[in-house]
Amino acid sequence: MAIGAYMPNRSKEIDEVSPLRLPAWRSIAAGAAFALLAGVGTAAAAPTPPSSDLGTSPAAVAAAGPEDLAAIAAGGARPVSGKTPSAGPKFAKSGTVWQVITPEVVLRNTVTDADGETANLTFQVYTTNADGTPKAEVDLDGTGPNGVLVSPYVASGGTAKVTVAYGILKPGVLYAFRTSAYDGSLYETTWSPWANFKITPYVTFPAPQTSSTIDPVAQTEVEFTRSDPGPALPTTAGIGRDGDSRETAKKNKRPRVSPDTTSDAKPGTKRTCSTVDAKGHKLCIELNPPDKNEKKSPYLAAAAAPNSELVGWCYDKPSGLDYMNRTDACMKSIGSATLIFTDTDPDSPALGTASFNVEQRIKTYPTKGDSGSNFAEFDQQIVVTPSYIDPVLRGVTLRWNVGNSCLACVTSNVRWTDDQNSPADAYWSISDLNPYEVRRGNVTTQWNGTGKETIDLGWSITATVNAGGNPATADYGTSGLAFVRELAPRCDDILGSAAPGCVLPYFKPTYTVDTNLNPAAGAYYWLMQEKMPDHSGSLKWDSLLQYLGPDSTATGPDGSAWTSKKSRDKICPTSWTAHPSDSSLGTRTCDEYAMPSTHESGGFPGGVNEVTGGDKCAQLYADKMGDGSANFGLLADTRVAVNGPTGTEECGRAAIPATQNSGAFNKYPAPSWCLLDKDGFFLSNPGFEHCTSAATTCAWRKV
C-alpha cells in the first residue's frame, strides 16, 4: 500500500495511543508532521490557535495544557466534569436559565478525578439561537490563543470556577457554556452538558427623556382622623398609648403598644345645656357626626369655591372626612349642631330648634411673604351653614371661641363674612331676606417668637337665642392629643430661606424624583427602598425618612456637630472609584442611599442604618444593555462583595450618571415644607412603583 494512503489511518492510531502525540495548542502543520514521520527534517510552521466548533473535542482545544496519553497506559483515569454547571452570582435560576446580576460572570462546575488527583476545568461560552441552543463561540481570553478560560486546579470532587472579565459578556444576552476537565495529563473525552445564563439587571430604564411634567414637590392632600375632635366625634384609632404611630414604631424598631380603647370612641350624639333661666327655660346644643355617605357639603351650590374660602381645594371635598397637606387642613367631619330651646319639664316638647352644619379650616404660611404680613402667620376659619331655624326662636347668634397655647402670638378677633367675603355677622333670623346664608368666621394668628414653637389650638361654639334662655356652649375639641398634635401649627425662624414661617408638621410630605429626567437615579432609589430592611422612604412600606435639619443637635465621635457632608464622606470617600461602564453614561459619581441629609443615612452616627463605611452598603452601578435595545440597567458591583448585594444591607452606594445624581434632588427640600430636624418625609419614584417587588426585573414606565 502506498505510504500516502496508509499514513492517515496510522496517524489516527497515534492520536489515540501514542505518547508522542503533540497537543493541539502546539500542533504542527499537517505537511510538516507528515514529513517528520517520514524521517524528513522539515522546520515546523508557527503555531495557530484551534478553530473550535461544537464538535471539537476537549483534547483538541487543549487550553489547559498538553495531553499525555502515556497516563492511560499507566492505568490513569480521565477526569470528569460535573453534570450541572452553574453561573452567578446569585447562582439562581429562572426556569432553565441562570440569572446573573453582573457582567463579571462567575462560571463554575464540579470536577472529579478517579485517581484522586487535582484537576481543573476549561470553560467555553457561546451566544445562542432564539431557542437557547449554542450559536457562536465568545472569545473569553482576549489576546490569548484559545478563546476559553481555564480554572485553577482543585481537589477531586471540588468546584472549579472562573470569572469573566468586564466587557466580554453583555447584559440582556442569553449565553450557553460548557466545561471540560483536565488533570495535568488527560482530558475528558466529552464536554459537560450545556447550561444557559443571562446577565439580568435589577431594573431597566432608558436614557433621560427630553421633557417631563413631574413636579417633584407637588403634594396630594391626605385623609386623617383627629385624635381629639370633641365629645361627639370619632377619635384616632391606630395611635398607641406610648404615642407611637405605626411609622414611629417601625422606625424605632420596637413593638407598638396596642391602641388605647379609651381614645377610640365611637361617634355619637352629645348634648350640652345651659343653666335654667328665670322662666324655667334652657338652651341645649346637640352635636351629631356627619353622614360619611354624603358626597358634598349640604350648602355646596356653586361649581367654584367662593371668594371667602380660606382653603380653596377643601370646598368640594366629600363630607364626613378630614383632609390635610403640609400647609392646610380641611375638617369636614365635625357634623351638625342642633340648638334645642326647651322647658325644664322633661315631658314638655321642645319650644323651638335650629340646626347648623359646621366645618373648619386651617391655613399656614411657610414664609412671611405668603401671608402678606411681615410675621409668621396662620389663619383659621369656621364655616357655618344653617339648615333649619324655628321662627319661635326669633333669632340665633353663634360665637366661635378660639384658643391657643402661644405666648408669643397676637391673635385677632373673629371676623365674620358671607360667601362673597363681605362683612357679616353670625346672626340668623327666619325673618331675614336670606335666613339660611353661609357665614364664615376668620381668625388670624401672628407669631413673633424665636427658634421654633408648636402651638396647640382649641375650639368651642357658644349659642344664644332671642326667645330666652342662658347661653349654651359646645366643645369642638383641640388640635390633638399631646403625643399627636395633628392640627397644631409649628412656626419657626430657623430656616434662612423661608424664615419666619408656619406649617402643619404632622403632615409628612413626599418628594417625587423625576424618573423621566433621572431614570437611573430613580431606579436605584426604588431598588434600595425595596431591598433595605427598613425600606427607608418608601410610601409602599409606610417608612419615613427623617431630615437632618439645621437645628440638629447630633454630634460625631469627636463631639463636633454632625453634618450631611460628614455622612456622605463616610459612605462615598475620595478613595471610591466608579465601576467601569459604557461611555454613553458619561461621567458617573457616587450616589448613596439613604441620602446623607437624613437620619437614615448609613453614615449618620447612632442612626438605625449606621455602618462603619461605604463598603458595607449594597454596591451597584448603571450600565448599557447589550441586547440591541437602547436601554440601560442597574447591576451589581461585585468588586467589594463578590456575591453582590444580599438584601440585608442597610444602605446603598452606586455609580450613577453625575447629571442624574445631582438632578434627582435639585428641588429638595422644598422651602414650602419648612423641614426641621427629624421631620419625616417620603421619597417617591413613580417610574418604577408599578412593580410589585424586586424579585424580577422592574422595567421603567414614563409618567
Side-chain angles (χ1 to χ4, degrees):
M1 181 179 293
I3 192 169
Y6 170 77
M7 286 306 293
N9 291 331
R10 179 61 181 163
S11 175
K12 181 177 181 182
E13 293 174 4
I14 292 174
D15 278 348
E16 293 176 348
V17 301
S18 172
L20 297 177
R21 178 187 179 274
L22 297 176
W25 62 283
R26 295 169 61 187
S27 64
I28 300 175
F34 181 81
L36 180 61
L37 291 172
V40 179
T42 305
T48 58
S51 177
S52 299
D53 57 34
L54 295 177
T56 303
S57 70
V61 175
E67 186 167 56
D68 183 1
L69 294 179
I72 294 179
R78 292 181 182 272
V80 179
S81 293
K83 303 301 182 185
T84 56
S86 60
K90 301 282 192 177
F91 298 99
K93 272 186 174 181
S94 175
T96 61
V97 179
W98 294 98
Q99 302 296 323
V100 183
I101 56 176
T102 175
E104 288 100 327
V105 179
V106 177
L107 305 173
R108 68 187 187 187
N109 198 1
T110 57
V111 59
T112 304
D113 187 90
D115 302 326
E117 297 178 355
T118 59
N120 63 24
L121 289 179
T122 296
F123 290 80
Q124 192 178 54
V125 175
Y126 278 69
T127 59
T128 65
N129 299 301
D131 62 358
T133 57
K135 180 180 180 182
E137 186 177 9
V138 178
D139 184 358
L140 298 181
D141 66 353
T143 58
N146 300 294
V148 296
L149 292 178
V150 179
S151 77
Y153 284 89
V154 298
S156 177
T159 298
K161 59 185 178 181
V162 296
T163 300
V164 182
Y166 174 80
I168 294 174
L169 302 175
K170 305 300 181 183
V173 176
L174 182 64
Y175 294 98
F177 80 100
R178 60 184 180 177
T179 66
S180 68
Y182 178 68
D183 63 4
S185 297
L186 299 171
Y187 286 91
E188 65 180 313
T189 56
T190 59
W191 293 88
S192 73
W194 289 100
N196 290 117
F197 70 90
K198 179 185 285 188
I199 302 165
T200 304
Y202 296 103
V203 192
T204 59
F205 46 89
Q209 306 297 290
T210 56
S211 63
S212 178
T213 59
I214 294 174
D215 182 350
V217 298
Q219 301 300 303
T220 301
E221 297 79 30
V222 299
E223 297 175 10
F224 73 101
T225 303
R226 293 177 61 187
S227 62
D228 184 25
L233 299 174
T235 54
T236 299
I239 300 295
R241 289 188 297 272
D242 57 356
D244 271 2
S245 65
R246 292 179 178 87
E247 298 91 343
T248 302
K250 184 187 298 182
K251 184 63 63 181
N252 292 335
K253 296 185 176 179
R254 64 178 180 236
R256 188 166 153 271
V257 177
S258 299
D260 186 345
T261 54
T262 62
S263 66
D264 291 336
K266 302 296 183 183
T269 298
K270 178 68 175 180
R271 179 180 293 191
T272 58
C273 297
S274 69
T275 58
V276 179
D277 68 5
K279 296 182 179 181
H281 299 152
K282 64 180 179 180
L283 180 64
C284 300
I285 303 179
E286 185 176 280
L287 302 182
N288 295 280
D291 180 3
K292 289 191 177 183
N293 294 321
E294 189 175 358
K295 297 302 181 184
K296 291 190 177 182
S297 300
Y299 70 86
L300 189 61
N307 295 334
S308 58
E309 175 62 67
L310 181 64
V311 178
W313 56 262
C314 176
Y315 182 66
D316 60 355
K317 288 288 187 182
S319 294
L321 299 170
D322 295 322
Y323 313 87
M324 72 183 309
N325 59 27
R326 188 72 173 179
T327 57
D328 307 330
C330 168
M331 291 99 86
K332 290 199 169 186
S333 69
I334 296 173
S336 64
T338 299
L339 307 185
I340 304 172
F341 184 51
T342 185
D343 192 270
T344 54
D345 183 354
D347 297 324
S348 298
L351 301 176
T353 63
S355 294
F356 300 84
N357 289 296
V358 179
E359 297 178 359
Q360 281 184 236
R361 320 279 195 256
I362 299 175
K363 188 174 190 65
T364 64
Y365 302 94
T367 66
K368 64 181 182 180
D370 294 334
S371 65
S373 72
N374 289 321
F375 302 96
E377 180 179 312
F378 60 91
D379 295 341
Q380 302 174 71
Q381 184 178 81
I382 187 170
V383 183
V384 181
T385 307
S387 58
Y388 176 75
I389 300 176
D390 197 319
V392 73
L393 299 179
R394 302 205 308 267
V396 177
T397 300
L398 298 181
R399 184 176 74 244
W400 186 32
N401 308 304
V402 180
N404 65 59
S405 64
C406 181
L407 299 178
C409 292
V410 176
T411 301
S412 71
N413 294 324
V414 179
R415 180 178 63 88
W416 290 92
T417 69
D418 60 19
D419 260 357
Q420 283 65 51
N421 211 26
S422 298
D425 54 33
Y427 174 80
W428 293 265
S429 172
I430 196 65
S431 62
D432 290 345
L433 181 63
N434 185 0
Y436 298 109
E437 189 173 21
V438 176
R439 292 288 187 267
R440 295 174 184 261
N442 301 276
V443 170
T444 294
T445 300
Q446 293 179 338
W447 180 75
N448 302 308
T450 59
K452 61 183 176 181
E453 182 178 4
T454 301
I455 301 164
D456 296 310
L457 307 174
W459 308 280
S460 64
I461 287 181
T462 299
T464 58
V465 296
N466 289 354
N470 292 318
T473 298
D475 178 10
Y476 275 81
T478 70
S479 52
L481 298 177
F483 55 81
V484 186
R485 305 174 87 180
E486 68 275 9
L487 290 171
R490 184 188 68 201
C491 301
D492 79 273
D493 65 350
I494 296 172
L495 298 172
S497 61
C502 305
V503 291
L504 297 172
Y506 178 79
F507 177 88
K508 306 304 185 281
T510 298
Y511 185 86
T512 303
V513 174
D514 192 330
T515 50
N516 294 333
L517 300 181
N518 307 288
Y524 163 51
Y525 307 146
W526 174 85
L527 181 67
M528 291 310 304
Q529 288 180 342
E530 288 292 307
K531 293 284 190 180
M532 286 173 66
D534 75 340
H535 309 287
S536 293
S538 171
L539 282 161
K540 168 186 170 182
W541 296 96
D542 196 24
S543 182
L544 292 166
L545 291 163
Q546 297 179 90
Y547 184 58
L548 180 59
D551 54 326
S552 172
T553 58
T555 58
D558 62 357
S560 63
W562 195 259
T563 64
S564 59
K565 183 180 185 304
K566 291 180 179 180
S567 286
R568 175 171 174 78
D569 290 346
K570 186 175 178 181
I571 303 301
C572 291
T574 55
S575 59
W576 176 88
T577 58
H579 187 285
S581 67
D582 190 82
S583 61
S584 60
L585 280 87
T587 301
R588 290 155 301 117
T589 53
C590 183
D591 196 358
E592 68 274 41
Y593 193 87
M595 304 89 76
S597 59
T598 67
H599 286 250
E600 286 65 41
S601 166
F604 185 77
V608 294
N609 296 321
E610 184 183 13
V611 293
T612 55
D615 285 355
K616 300 298 183 181
C617 301
Q619 312 291 315
L620 301 158
Y621 76 102
D623 205 352
K624 185 82 169 60
M625 295 296 289
D627 56 3
S629 71
N631 287 332
F632 299 84
L634 195 65
L635 297 155
D637 178 351
T638 54
R639 294 176 300 170
V640 174
V642 295
N643 292 319
T646 64
T648 61
E649 294 88 355
E650 294 182 312
C651 54
R653 183 170 72 179
I656 299 296
T659 54
Q660 297 188 49
N661 190 349
S662 60
F665 286 100
N666 64 354
K667 294 185 178 180
Y668 162 85
S672 62
W673 297 354
C674 290
L675 287 182
L676 296 181
D677 192 52
K678 295 185 179 179
D679 275 1
F681 67 99
F682 293 103
L683 183 72
S684 175
N685 302 284
F688 305 95
E689 288 169 351
H690 59 278
C691 296
T692 57
S693 78
T696 57
T697 300
C698 177
W700 171 92
R701 287 182 184 175
K702 187 173 183 178
V703 178

